[in-house]
Amino acid sequence: NKVELPPPPECVCVKLSGPASLPAEDISTNSNGPKQDSLFDDDPEDLFAEATEEVSLDSPERDVLLSDGPSPAITPITPPCSLITPHIDMFTHCSFDEIEEEEGGDSFDMHISVSDPEKVGDGMNAYMAYKVSTKTSMSLFRSQDFSVKRRFSDFLGLHSKLASKYLHIGYIVPPAPEKSIVGMTKVKVGKEDQSSNEFVEKRRSALERYLMRTVKHPTLLKDPDVLQFLESSELPRAVSTQALSSAGILRMVNKAAEAVNKMTIKMNESDAWFEEKQQHFDNLDLQLRKLHASVESLVCHRRELSVNTALFAKSAAMLGNSEDHTALSRALSQLAEVEEKIDQLHQDQANADFYCFSELLGDYVRLITAVKGVFDHRMKTWQKWQDGQILLQKKREAEAKLQFNNKPEKLQQAKDEMRELEGKVQQGERDFELISKTIRKEVSRFEKERVKDFKTIIIKYLESLVQTQQKVKNIIIIIFSISY
Amino acid sequence: MMQEGLDDGPDFLSEEDRGPRAVNVDLQTDATLQVDISDALSERDKVKFTVHTKSTLPNFKQNEFSVVRQHEEFIWLHDSFVENEEYAGYIIPPAPPRPDFDASREKLQKLGEGEGSMTKEEFTKMKQELEAEYLAIFKKTVAMHEVFLCRVAAHPVLRKDLNFHVFLEYNQDLSVRGKNKKEKLEDFFKNVVKSADGVLVAGVKDVDDFFEHEKTFLLEYHNRVKDASAKSDRMIRSHKNAADDINRIASSLYTLGTQDSTDLCKFFLKVSELFEKTRKIESRVAADEDLKLADLLKYYLRESQAAKDLLYRRSRALVDYENANKALDKARAKNRDVLQAETSQQLCCHKFEKISESAKQELIDFKTRRVAAFRKNLVELAELELKHAKGNLQLLQSCLVVLKGNT
């Protein structure tokens, strides 16, 4: 009475698509095409998305982050004044979670897959080319089903461009996958073994998740760099990828954090929301890292268990061979067979653990670093505004002195300088309020995504555990029924 | 009282009274002499076993009595059997291994040192784990000492041994000291000589088919059991490591659950609970494998060695017999010391035949015991693994239902 064993669970790739899976964001797709949309959007934020070049020209990290490759020129758009007058009420009691729900428009319908890793070239100059295929019905794109070939440094290049444009104004830009010299060298050298195959698969999966996260962000989706990345058959080579690697970017983010710590004037957080969220993300960071470490350890031990079970199976088979009592001999051989099958299951289980759960945790550890970076940028923005205000105050005092001393030429100059400064201070305040508003929105979106991601992945993980357990059970039943 | 059956392994979760475990041997209960270890106490360096005897034999002053013995005294008893020429023809029940709590103690110490780096719940949990592990090792060592005594008590000849009776009855310290350095060195040389001799002796082809077959069989069997035992230990250790990881994951998820402000908190808490439960099952799986498989293999490793020793003694006696024959022929040829040679030869012959006769029976019994023990343990192991797999499956499935329902 043979029991059919179901096939082993395949590696689970996170497919994040379909309208039901996302909150309704405003991704209005006018037939005018991507760029012109922004001016007619109901959502004022998008205006500023295009105008980032203007906002913080003297941020030191920015210079390094800017890629050498050509980026489409962005014309600073001066927003009409009525839209930017800060409304203090907005921040204090409005719940941003509600704002997004009602913004209708097209629901998100896009699926990106990264596939067909192909080695191009030989020796140390070799690289892996991946096929990036997009299927979508959104009118943002020129066609509904298209694909391009990209290499890893292209992804890094994309991320660096996005980071340089959006990180410092409060958008949580998903980090790109990590570079790995060891992993890549094995591939380059042509080592065709299981570990290098695993590496390629791990990377492919990570790249896919990265792209999906990026396009699910309503603002990033419309960014011309993203569109170019997905659609253009040729992409200018991203240079100096060391600076562009996500590790490099994270280093920049950490530097910002250090600068914040060194701030002489400690920011007086009048907004409890930010304080609470900062704490929340700090805790989350700690816990996720711990969890990630434990899951990786589990993966390692399960692999070890699989190896040891296989060794034991062989040993038990040998023992069965020497046993001269026929029934016992047969029983021992069966034991060996069971153990071998269970060994295979443990292997599958280790894969499920890894690709499913561990990678998700790794992604979120990196994402949270980006979130913390964004919070730090807000503090820097505040710092700038405060610095401006202090300077303005000094100038006012100097002007008063000049007036008192009656020096008309210098007075005029001082008045001009002050006017300019006032403008800057106002801008500083606007920037601060803008980044605060953006962050609130981003965090709300991020948290929603996080909840969804974790629920989906954990359920998938548990389902795979169920499958494994069922197989183990079936194997034991089979062996049990034919045993003496 | 000696219990044949086996309870469900050491239960980490409860403080149930341990019953004696005749795990690895299939012994006949005999009312005339029953031995068990009714109690044991673990002190810093040593373990004190309370050996409890019930007997209707006239040799003893009372029908029921107890004494306290330590590990060294078991070893003394075992060695006295081995050194006794009278018992050359029997498989001497293997000595129980020394109680070894070092690894466990080290872990407890490390835990104490690392107390600051983990939450209170984690610490309590790990402490409970380690204490359970300590308890399990303790129970095992008690069982192994008990099995030794039961084997002796079940053996028709060894049970009558005087030293054994003294061991059981004499309620003072036997003043058996451990071997000092000189004696250990002597032992070492003896072993070297013995193994060299064993090689020589093994080369002698036996006329008797039965023994020739047994020799080949035991040699191969012993090596393979050794290998299987080592591999099963490694496998079980990996299993335990994986269970520990799941424990840590459960703790992390719990913390995440209590800290999270979103929907996820309930989710995390439920999953944490699930992992706690599955971890317990995984630990049980590892523990059952340990008991039914690893211990079984270890025991038969020692027994097969004892059987090999028996064959060695027989071969030795055979060689002596043949040498005595040759000496007799020479003596007869030279017509000198013939009587001496004759007596010597007769002694050797008698010794050899006596050993051969009892060895045959011993080896047959060994096989019977072995088959029965393996059968019992493998069946029980399969039953337990099935039970755990079902339990695990049920937990996972019911948790999934809850989680999916909430999303």
Side-chain angles (χ1 to χ4, degrees):
Chain A
N1 229 356
K2 264 222 154 186
V3 176
E4 258 306 297
L5 292 178
E10 61 214 15
C11 290
V12 178
C13 297
V14 179
K15 293 201 167 129
L16 311 163
S17 65
S21 58
L22 274 181
E25 286 283 344
D26 174 36
I27 308 180
S28 44
T29 52
N30 292 349
S31 47
N32 292 344
K35 277 190 212 140
Q36 283 88 347
D37 273 352
S38 45
L39 281 174
F40 305 100
D41 267 356
D42 298 327
D43 189 350
E45 271 74 77
D46 285 342
L47 278 171
F48 296 103
E50 300 293 272
T52 57
E53 302 277 319
E54 178 192 40
V55 173
S56 53
L57 290 168
D58 47 357
S59 149
E61 306 95 62
R62 243 184 108 258
D63 296 325
V64 191
L65 289 180
L66 271 181
S67 63
D68 295 332
S71 313
I74 297 177
T75 348
I77 302 168
T78 321
C81 290
S82 54
L83 284 171
I84 58 165
T85 318
H87 297 278
I88 316 292
D89 330 323
M90 271 175 102
F91 314 129
T92 45
H93 47 97
C94 172
S95 158
F96 274 78
D97 299 356
E98 291 146 16
I99 284 191
E100 296 140 32
E101 299 294 6
E102 313 323 306
E103 288 169 357
D106 273 350
S107 49
F108 182 80
D109 168 27
M110 190 163 170
H111 179 61
I112 299 183
S113 68
V114 174
S115 61
D116 303 338
E118 204 185 323
K119 187 168 163 200
V120 175
D122 266 321
M124 287 315 283
N125 290 328
Y127 63 90
M128 290 304 266
Y130 302 89
K131 180 170 161 202
V132 177
S133 319
T134 314
K135 283 188 175 58
T136 178
S137 65
M138 290 163 66
S139 51
L140 258 183
F141 299 95
R142 283 178 247 151
S143 86
Q144 296 213 324
D145 189 348
F146 51 93
S147 66
V148 292
K149 279 258 182 215
R150 294 282 178 258
R151 56 185 290 187
F152 185 64
S153 54
D154 293 334
F155 289 82
L156 292 184
L158 173 67
H159 174 251
S160 91
K161 288 184 196 164
L162 294 176
S164 71
K165 283 194 257 179
Y166 296 104
L167 258 185
H168 60 270
I169 52 166
Y171 287 94
I172 301 172
V173 177
E178 298 282 330
K179 280 191 115 180
S180 163
I181 298 177
V182 173
M184 248 346 257
T185 311
K186 273 200 206 159
V187 172
K188 288 182 190 190
V189 165
K191 205 158 179 272
E192 274 283 332
D193 67 348
Q194 203 199 358
S195 74
S196 54
N197 286 341
E198 271 177 28
F199 170 78
V200 172
E201 172 54 31
K202 177 181 162 185
R203 176 161 281 189
R204 184 209 66 76
S205 172
L207 290 173
E208 191 173 279
R209 291 196 308 274
Y210 165 67
L211 282 180
M212 282 304 290
R213 282 218 175 86
T214 306
V215 299
K216 278 170 71 175
H217 193 301
T219 310
L220 297 179
L221 172 62
K222 294 190 221 160
D223 185 284
D225 281 326
V226 170
L227 299 174
Q228 186 190 39
F229 181 89
L230 291 174
E231 287 180 318
S232 295
S233 47
E234 287 296 317
L235 207 62
R237 181 76 202 279
V239 297
S240 54
T241 49
Q242 220 165 19
L244 303 182
S245 76
S246 69
I249 302 249
L250 291 179
R251 269 199 296 276
M252 297 304 161
V253 168
N254 285 336
K255 272 208 192 127
E258 273 173 42
V260 165
N261 285 336
K262 291 194 187 116
M263 259 165 50
T264 41
I265 310 168
K266 259 303 170 186
M267 180 171 174
N268 184 11
E269 188 59 83
S270 50
D271 195 339
W273 187 93
F274 279 92
E275 193 158 336
E276 182 201 311
K277 286 299 175 191
Q278 183 98 43
Q279 189 64 46
H280 164 71
F281 281 113
D282 283 340
N283 287 341
L284 200 57
D285 188 31
L286 200 66
Q287 287 309 316
L288 283 183
R289 279 177 199 272
K290 233 165 126 188
L291 184 59
H292 188 214
S294 298
V295 173
E296 290 204 308
S297 177
L298 177 64
V299 167
C300 184
H301 285 138
R302 277 243 163 86
R303 289 222 168 110
E304 218 175 76
L305 176 60
S306 155
V307 166
N308 287 338
T309 310
L311 287 174
F312 174 71
K314 285 202 183 74
S315 192
M318 296 281 278
L319 189 62
N321 282 341
S322 7
E323 185 60 76
D324 57 355
H325 184 278
T326 30
L328 181 54
S329 171
R330 196 176 51 216
L332 281 167
S333 306
Q334 283 167 355
L335 174 67
E337 210 185 303
V338 172
E339 294 297 345
E340 218 179 305
K341 292 214 170 78
I342 292 187
D343 156 50
Q344 190 54 49
L345 282 178
H346 282 139
Q347 280 265 47
D348 293 342
Q349 183 68 62
N351 286 340
D353 294 349
F354 183 66
Y355 287 118
C356 229
F357 202 14
S358 177
E359 287 286 87
L360 174 79
L361 290 169
D363 285 351
Y364 268 90
V365 165
R366 281 194 296 276
L367 270 166
I368 287 185
T369 312
V371 171
K372 283 163 66 157
V374 147
F375 273 80
D376 287 337
H377 273 296
R378 174 174 171 270
M379 306 245 311
K380 289 201 74 185
T381 312
W382 180 87
Q383 178 75 62
K384 232 184 108 207
W385 175 29
Q386 293 306 306
D387 287 346
Q389 279 196 316
I390 290 169
L391 195 60
L392 185 65
Q393 186 59 31
K394 283 205 180 105
K395 287 279 179 188
R396 285 215 173 102
E397 285 166 5
E399 191 221 12
K401 243 197 220 152
L402 285 175
Q403 260 196 334
F404 186 67
N405 292 338
N406 201 10
K407 299 237 174 94
E409 334 75 40
K410 282 204 177 151
L411 193 60
Q412 188 52 46
Q413 185 188 14
K415 276 201 155 75
D416 288 338
E417 279 177 1
M418 256 182 55
R419 212 184 341 263
E420 199 187 314
L421 257 182
E422 272 165 8
K424 276 217 173 95
V425 166
Q426 273 177 3
Q427 185 63 48
E429 188 179 3
R430 280 198 297 272
D431 291 344
F432 177 71
E433 281 162 0
L434 179 62
I435 195 176
S436 299
K437 185 160 177 240
T438 309
I439 289 181
R440 278 174 181 266
K441 201 155 162 243
E442 284 287 284
V443 164
S444 162
R445 202 186 69 87
F446 177 82
E447 288 289 85
K448 277 217 179 75
E449 281 299 304
R450 178 170 76 90
V451 169
K452 209 179 341 177
D453 271 351
F454 270 85
K455 281 189 178 172
T456 315
I457 295 298
I458 288 182
I459 287 183
K460 275 214 171 76
Y461 176 49
L462 292 181
E463 282 174 345
S464 87
L465 281 180
V466 165
Q467 283 209 349
T468 307
Q469 202 59 74
Q470 258 166 347
K471 283 183 211 162
V472 169
K473 188 184 88 162
N474 288 337
I475 286 175
I476 296 175
I477 287 177
I478 292 176
I479 301 302
F480 200 24
S481 63
I482 14 176
S483 82
Y484 66 126
Chain B
M1 200 190 43
M2 206 162 65
Q3 239 171 283
E4 181 83 281
L6 192 53
D7 61 5
D8 205 8
D11 193 344
F12 291 160
L13 312 173
S14 71
E15 281 302 307
E16 68 184 17
D17 206 17
R18 52 150 291 284
R21 303 161 16 177
V23 180
N24 304 314
V25 291
D26 196 35
L27 300 173
Q28 278 81 21
T29 21
D30 187 341
T32 54
L33 180 61
Q34 290 176 14
V35 184
D36 68 273
I37 297 183
S38 58
D39 196 8
L41 191 65
S42 167
E43 284 178 5
R44 285 205 53 214
D45 278 347
K46 33 196 176 185
V47 182
K48 293 207 171 115
F49 303 96
T50 305
V51 179
H52 169 247
T53 314
K54 248 188 180 167
S55 173
T56 55
L57 290 176
N59 320 52
F60 300 107
K61 295 198 198 92
Q62 296 164 296
N63 279 355
E64 190 170 350
F65 47 91
S66 292
V67 293
V68 175
R69 292 283 174 249
Q70 290 185 35
H71 175 72
E72 288 76 20
E73 289 160 318
F74 286 76
I75 300 300
W76 163 81
L77 183 61
H78 171 260
D79 289 348
S80 73
F81 290 151
V82 169
E83 284 155 8
N84 190 334
E85 287 277 331
E86 288 295 304
Y87 302 142
Y90 306 120
I91 296 181
I92 309 295
R98 199 179 69 83
D100 183 13
F101 296 102
D102 289 344
S104 195
R105 227 176 264 140
E106 206 182 293
K107 273 198 222 166
L108 268 168
Q109 197 179 2
K110 260 200 208 131
L111 180 70
E113 284 165 10
E115 184 173 351
S117 68
M118 52 180 96
T119 67
K120 195 157 187 289
E121 294 91 28
E122 269 175 22
F123 179 74
T124 325
K125 233 204 292 189
M126 291 225 70
K127 188 152 172 278
Q128 277 174 354
E129 282 294 304
L130 286 179
E131 282 172 349
E133 203 181 290
Y134 192 94
L135 190 65
I137 297 176
F138 186 70
K139 284 181 181 172
K140 259 208 235 187
T141 189
V142 166
M144 293 200 262
H145 285 74
E146 189 178 76
V147 156
F148 169 70
L149 292 178
C150 294
R151 276 270 278 126
V152 174
H155 194 284
V157 175
L158 293 176
R159 75 201 323 230
K160 300 192 199 129
D161 182 81
L162 192 60
N163 283 338
F164 184 48
H165 291 182
V166 167
F167 178 94
L168 290 176
E169 203 177 13
Y170 186 61
N171 58 10
Q172 306 274 337
D173 194 358
L174 288 175
S175 298
V176 165
R177 51 168 181 71
K179 296 193 168 154
N180 62 21
K181 265 197 198 142
K182 179 162 172 279
E183 284 163 347
K184 282 194 183 149
L185 206 58
E186 280 173 0
D187 269 356
F188 175 70
F189 279 126
K190 254 196 251 172
N191 276 334
V192 170
V193 168
K194 183 171 147 208
S195 36
D197 200 25
V199 171
L200 260 137
V201 157
V204 172
K205 176 103 170 65
D206 209 314
V207 183
D208 189 330
D209 276 340
F210 174 79
F211 283 105
E212 186 59 30
H213 167 80
E214 284 296 307
K215 195 160 53 174
T216 329
F217 164 73
L218 268 176
L219 207 63
E220 191 186 61
Y221 186 79
H222 176 79
N223 286 336
R224 291 189 178 172
V225 165
K226 194 191 274 188
D227 188 56
S229 174
K231 304 253 163 75
S232 80
D233 280 348
R234 286 229 294 267
M235 180 175 78
I236 290 168
R237 200 166 29 242
S238 290
H239 224 138
K240 285 199 179 127
N241 286 341
D244 282 344
D245 286 329
I246 297 180
N247 199 14
R248 273 189 281 271
I249 289 174
S251 293
S252 284
L253 283 172
Y254 181 78
T255 316
L256 274 168
T258 50
Q259 284 179 354
D260 210 296
S261 50
T262 65
D263 254 10
L264 277 180
C265 66
K266 270 186 293 190
F267 200 84
F268 279 149
L269 287 174
K270 192 86 185 71
V271 176
S272 167
E273 193 190 313
L274 169 73
F275 278 145
E276 272 290 335
K277 294 193 182 138
T278 59
R279 194 267 311 166
K280 288 205 173 98
I281 294 187
E282 291 267 340
S283 293
R284 288 302 294 270
V285 169
D288 289 338
E289 279 181 346
D290 198 16
L291 275 177
K292 309 282 178 186
L293 198 54
D295 277 357
L296 178 73
L297 292 170
K298 279 198 198 80
Y299 185 80
Y300 279 96
L301 181 62
R302 293 199 297 275
E303 270 251 21
S304 57
Q305 182 61 49
K308 275 170 70 182
D309 290 344
L310 169 62
L311 281 181
Y312 162 73
R313 288 194 293 268
R314 181 181 167 277
S315 299
R316 179 82 250 160
L318 177 60
V319 167
D320 289 343
Y321 180 32
E322 286 176 353
N323 288 343
N325 272 338
K326 288 192 199 127
L328 183 58
D329 288 341
K330 234 201 276 180
R332 279 189 180 141
K334 290 188 186 156
N335 207 357
R336 237 198 339 187
D337 298 323
V338 172
L339 189 61
Q340 198 182 354
E342 266 177 1
T343 342
S344 170
Q345 190 256 24
Q346 266 177 353
L347 269 170
C348 286
C349 175
H350 174 72
K351 182 175 172 189
F352 173 68
E353 278 169 1
K354 181 163 164 244
I355 290 182
S356 285
E357 197 186 311
S358 58
K360 195 165 196 170
Q361 190 54 50
E362 288 281 299
L363 289 167
I364 291 173
D365 286 346
F366 174 56
K367 180 166 171 172
T368 315
R369 271 202 312 275
R370 187 175 77 239
V371 170
F374 268 81
R375 168 199 255 126
K376 177 163 181 252
N377 281 12
L378 289 180
V379 166
E380 281 174 3
L381 183 63
E383 282 174 344
L384 284 170
E385 303 257 290
L386 186 62
K387 178 176 133 193
H388 292 320
K390 280 187 181 157
N392 230 354
L393 193 59
Q394 209 245 342
L395 273 176
L396 285 167
Q397 280 169 330
S398 61
C399 181
L400 263 173
V401 164
V402 171
L403 290 177
K404 280 179 170 165
N406 276 347
T407 52

